[in-house]
Amino acid sequence: MTEKNVVTAIHDALHDAMAADDRVVVLGEDVGARGGVFRVTQGFLEEFGEARVIDTPLAEGAIVGIAVGMALHGLLPVAEIEFADFIHPAFDQMVSEVARMRYRSNGDFGLPMVVRAPWGGGVHGALYHSQSVEAFFAHVPGLKVVVPSTPYDAAGMLRAAIADPDPVLFLEHKRTYRLISGEVPDEPYAVPIGPADVKREGTDLTAISYGLMLHHCLEAAARLEREHGISVEVVDVRTLNPLDRETILASVRKTGKAMVVYEDNRTYGAGAEIVATIAEEALFDLDGPLVRIGGPDVPAMGFATNLEHAFLPDVDLIAARMLELARF
Amino acid sequence: MTEKNVVTAIHDALHDAMAADDRVVVLGEDVGARGGVFRVTQGFLEEFGEARVIDTPLAEGAIVGIAVGMALHGLLPVAEIEFADFIHPAFDQMVSEVARMRYRSNGDFGLPMVVRAPWGGGVHGALYHSQSVEAFFAHVPGLKVVVPSTPYDAAGMLRAAIADPDPVLFLEHKRTYRLISGEVPDEPYAVPIGPADVKREGTDLTAISYGLMLHHCLEAAARLEREHGISVEVVDVRTLNPLDRETILASVRKTGKAMVVYEDNRTYGAGAEIVATIAEEALFDLDGPLVRIGGPDVPAMGFATNLEHAFLPDVDLIAARMLELARF
Amino acid sequence: MATRLTRRTSPEALGLSADDLRSMYRTMVTARLVDEAAFRLNRQGKAPFVVPVSGHEGCQVGTAWALERGRDVWVPYYRDVGVVLVAGMTPYDIFLGLFAKADDPSSGGRQMPNHWGSRRLGIISHSSPIASQLPHAVGIAYAIRYRGEDAVVGSWFGEGATSEGIWHEALNFAGIHRLPVVFVCENNRYAISVAQNKQMAIEDVADRAAAYGFPGVVVDGNDVLACYAAMKEAVARARAGEGPTLIEAKTYRYFPHTSDDDDRTYRSREEVEEARRRDPIRRFERVLLDLGVLTASDPEQIAAEIKEDVERRIDEAWAAPDPDPATLYRHVFAEPVDP
Amino acid sequence: MATRLTRRTSPEALGLSADDLRSMYRTMVTARLVDEAAFRLNRQGKAPFVVPVSGHEGCQVGTAWALERGRDVWVPYYRDVGVVLVAGMTPYDIFLGLFAKADDPSSGGRQMPNHWGSRRLGIISHSSPIASQLPHAVGIAYAIRYRGEDAVVGSWFGEGATSEGIWHEALNFAGIHRLPVVFVCENNRYAISVAQNKQMAIEDVADRAAAYGFPGVVVDGNDVLACYAAMKEAVARARAGEGPTLIEAKTYRYFPHTSDDDDRTYRSREEVEEARRRDPIRRFERVLLDLGVLTASDPEQIAAEIKEDVERRIDEAWAAPDPDPATLYRHVFAEPVDP
Ligand SMILES: Cc1ncc(C[n+]2csc(CCOP(=O)(O)OP(=O)(O)O)c2C)c(N)n1
Ligand SMILES: Cc1ncc(C[n+]2csc(CCOP(=O)(O)OP(=O)(O)O)c2C)c(N)n1
Ligand SMILES: [Mg+2]
Ligand SMILES: [Mg+2]
């Protein structure tokens, strides 16, 4: 075990995957000499060479579409979108091509490929370097969408994603990159795509979250325990598609109260599906209202520090709503 | 009043808008000599000339992006995306540009523009001419998203959309184009963007829907009345963003039972938000489970007739689930 | 500026035997007759959607002929009946697709007709969004080079496709890495109804190659041998590691865009008639008669033979089983999905 | 192939008075000094994010100078400090943006610094996704022509932007309609760390104009007068209804991509030093000294004056009010939104 932050864990897992299998190639803007703007591919060019560490032109549609071609012909591409905000020019490739290749060819062709994209706010990124994009893609059948939030999960799920015969959109919350550290095994291991994870056990209410907000929930839960003796169970969704309904519902059935927390624009966000699922499947197990905390429905967070704070749900807000729900 | 089908109502409303105001221009693939593949702009080229009826190259990003420029400089562009399935190459323009211009410029610039796109299945369109795209866009703050389903609403909302100082994504369900007819006033009138509409009053349960499924719900409701004396209220959402929570909640509070029906892939679809809203706001007014009917979570409907049928929710299914819910 | 390929090359110089030539001719005639049958089936209500090839047979068969089955990769678009016949699809396969049957090799009846694909034949599955297959062709070419193979990727598209951003992005990447891929533009002067002068301000699509640092070649798409010659050279360049070529074949489509289209709204009958006078099949026929590869009675007899085969395949395909709706959830992922 | 503008034109022949020349010079120096101040503020922790212009002053001020305030439209990108100064923004405006203040004219502190916009000045608001502003420039040009105005749209971008599909789509449309728009590529040979040879297989971006049917011009971006000359001609063509021009100005960026970048990972210090020897400001200085427009002591004095002004504006901007977080929901739509 080694203590690492999220970005180092991802770097190391990707590095090991490349070292272990020369079908793995990385491509994206600035992944070469620069080692990625977040340093995820630092040192890769020197070690693995230009043919496997491909600095692409500034063209996200091509990055994803070329990865499709590579995956069709025996490679295991890991494409990097520099910021999740810039995946939109590749939307057609993601939705029409990546997600549908297997289905439309009736199983004849498959796409073992990964698209990595750093997402989320809290980094002074303003309107175009802070976005949550998971709701767009979680809705697309044929695409697996994962949102690991700890070093352990990130490394393990990246390994699972590269091994997966199907395309995986691998979303890395930028704010967690250097903020969150934890123990990571030194031996290769995988965290399966699919299962959610109970990150903190509790009995009074369930908070369901992912990304930076997961850590806010954990902090709020600790505060509630400390200050009020309230026991909050925190479920880390980890995979948005396919969604692990069982783990979520089991927790909600146990505690009888549920709260979903995410930083994306609230309306039509991924949290809506989670709330809807609970409402449909566990309505009669609930002892309190269903609570949803999401980012405000404004185009994105501002650059000014106080505007960014006004956008992002914080620990105080989450703790207050938890308390309210617990006391309901 | 004149009896018209949906596509004629849209044609006429757009025609009148062009005749009334020469700031209105249309642009898109095949909108000129061909009059649009669905004939929405038939005769426009001859009447309004090439400068106002612009056949564009095959490039959706440019269609939307050029409309942005036009709207910035005094025109009122109505852009046509030939099939909603092909709006994806314009996703970046829609999300990053169209939806954010006003917000990012702190109100300095606005975009009075409309993007029309025919969507939906039931027309033998297979994977790439049948898609529901509303969930992607309803989630984007700054963009109004409307889904009129009757000739009256379509014409009235198109007028409202063209008059709106903000961008409107105007989604027209292809299957309704020639299937659905109704009375349309001969004088110009507008149907405001925002308010949902109770298309059928009822007391036993509320069905909330839009698009082709709205008509299926109305048919199922009539059948339930006829065959079982069950009174179903049918709410036509009409506008997905901003969502008219009040009308939906008022109906659900009245009937105590709610069902949401849409043809898009179920999970993370627009129906999830509606279900979640009801669960959050009217949980204690419910006398039965929340029911959601959506399209299956497979990439899209097949071309083979029986595959298309297997995908689309039909009147039988909806009526059966209504009956079940009513009897709960 | 793009090269114009005008020089006549003899079939021998191109390495084509009499058998090759007859085979090419038969393939072109097959494409034409498949089209005619498909439109008849459409009128009979048996084929809801038809995408015609007629007019494009020369440029399709000519270019496709320069690739090798079992070695090279084909990335066609919906109009490429001629290309996929060369690649190994049969009329039976095509009619299975037309009728959306379970055994349709492309998609098992899931996709619209003419949305080709077959792993066995090396035909890459494509979708409807125009030009979206181009980066796939380029990515495959990258993988070919990476793996040290000597295959070449052929990719086909209309001139309309060149307006899409992703087309530009794909060609740019191919140029940077000098990949073994050939881009074939079947320029029929219309994207559905939009005439070329509303699509681009230039006369020759091939001129766009200069933006990507590789050669562009204009060729007469009605001259199957010229198309073959152009493609043969491009394939040789690609195989030798000299990078991509953009070939523009000037052609014309004789029928409406699809069975849903009405082309009288945007082009005159005279224009269509005029184009038909340059029919690639008639022209090739004359060459083959001159060369003595065909005798005077051959064309009629070959057409009759192919027609008979086509009719039989139609009946067989029509009788084949429909897809099973219970397969709705199959192949979303490699692992079965539990609905 | 693109034209190379090498001919020396005298300032008089270009219609530039001594006052114009001094003004251009002052603008370039201002851009440089704003940069230096901004990096200092970044190190002091007062400016979280800085996008430098240094090295680009010549091509920016030279090209922008050929448009007319109050008549023409500016569609810049983030590096265009020089362009927006010419368009009428002040250092105070720029520092308001740097500090994300309520009165930042571009966005009221919502956008990152250097995301310009001002309806009053005719500077179109832009976003971060590269090249996404190009179709806006083209649409505005269409509207200008439609309304019978004689304005011209200037648009600026890096060579990296030319790889994006939307860039291709925008230029193609402009070419088809021969719109009054000028495309200025500030080619500094890098897109962040990606060198030009990994971005394209060609030497001159200007060669891409041929794909769109309008002229491409290569100009020395370190020669402000050559840039002005190229743009002046392009603007005249556009105004006369003769359509777009693509101008490629060869330039270099002296600092890292942004304050978040570390350019030592991808380019040598020698390369940067070498480029700095062609500094557009020093070069213009020599021309102006030769012409007698500046005297020997002017440069130092002008720099001192501007520096003083910049310092004052920094203090003023720093003291200006922050945005009010209660405005979070403002301007989602024209009508107020009820959260
Ligand atoms: C992205 C996208 N936009 C629009 C369409 C609708 N569409 C189908 S074919 C076509 C024209 C294609 O023209 P071209 O590339 O010249 O090929 P051709 O049909 O002439 O052979 C259009 C606009 C589409 N399929 N995909
Ligand atoms: C669509 C998109 N992809 C990636 C980025 C990240 N990014 C910001 S600037 C930049 C390089 C731009 O290079 P160039 O166009 O040459 O302009 P320069 O910075 O050199 O002036 C990149 C990749 C972005 N902003 N937008
Ligand atoms: Mg065409
Ligand atoms: Mg650059």
Side-chain angles (χ1 to χ4, degrees), chain A residues 22 25 50-52 54 57 59 61-62 65-66 68-70 72-75 92-93 96-97 101-109 142-144 165-166, chain C residues 106-108 110-111 118-119 123-127 129 132 135-136 138-140 142-144 146-147 149 166 169 172-173 176-177 328 330-334:
Chain A
D22 67 9
V25 301
E50 266 190 4
R52 297 184 65 195
I54 307 158
I66 284 162
V68 167
M70 291 170 161
L72 286 169
H73 202 79
L75 305 191
D92 186 50
Q93 286 291 322
S96 304
E97 305 301 319
M101 182 64 78
R102 187 181 295 281
Y103 195 79
R104 77 173 181 227
S105 68
N106 208 20
D108 207 16
F109 293 95
L143 201 60
K144 298 186 180 179
D166 287 304
Chain C
S106 299
S107 73
R110 287 178 168 187
Q111 290 227 67
S118 164
R119 172 168 285 279
I123 300 171
I124 303 303
S125 167
H126 65 94
S127 62
S132 59
H136 310 171
V138 173
I140 293 168
Y142 191 97
I144 285 170
Y146 181 86
R147 290 154 51 112
E149 299 164 357
I166 193 73
E169 297 182 7
N172 190 39
F173 192 92
I176 294 165
H177 293 275
L328 183 70
R330 265 174 73 176
H331 304 307
V332 175
F333 294 120

Side-chain angles (χ1 to χ4, degrees), chain C residues 139-184:
Chain C
I140 293 168
Y142 191 97
I144 285 170
R145 224 253 309 277
Y146 181 86
R147 290 154 51 112
E149 299 164 357
D150 73 349
V152 171
V153 182
S155 61
W156 287 262
F157 48 86
E159 88 294 344
T162 72
S163 303
E164 280 285 0
I166 193 73
W167 182 88
H168 168 75
E169 297 182 7
L171 271 76
N172 190 39
F173 192 92
I176 294 165
H177 293 275
R178 296 172 69 87
L179 296 175
V181 52
V182 184
F183 301 102
V184 182

Side-chain angles (χ1 to χ4, degrees), chain C residues 56 77 79 158-160 186-192 199 253:
Chain C
H56 287 236
Y77 82 118
R79 207 169 296 295
E159 88 294 344
E186 305 179 25
N187 182 354
N188 60 13
R189 295 161 41 198
Y190 289 92
I192 307 188
Q199 297 186 56
R253 121 174 99 69

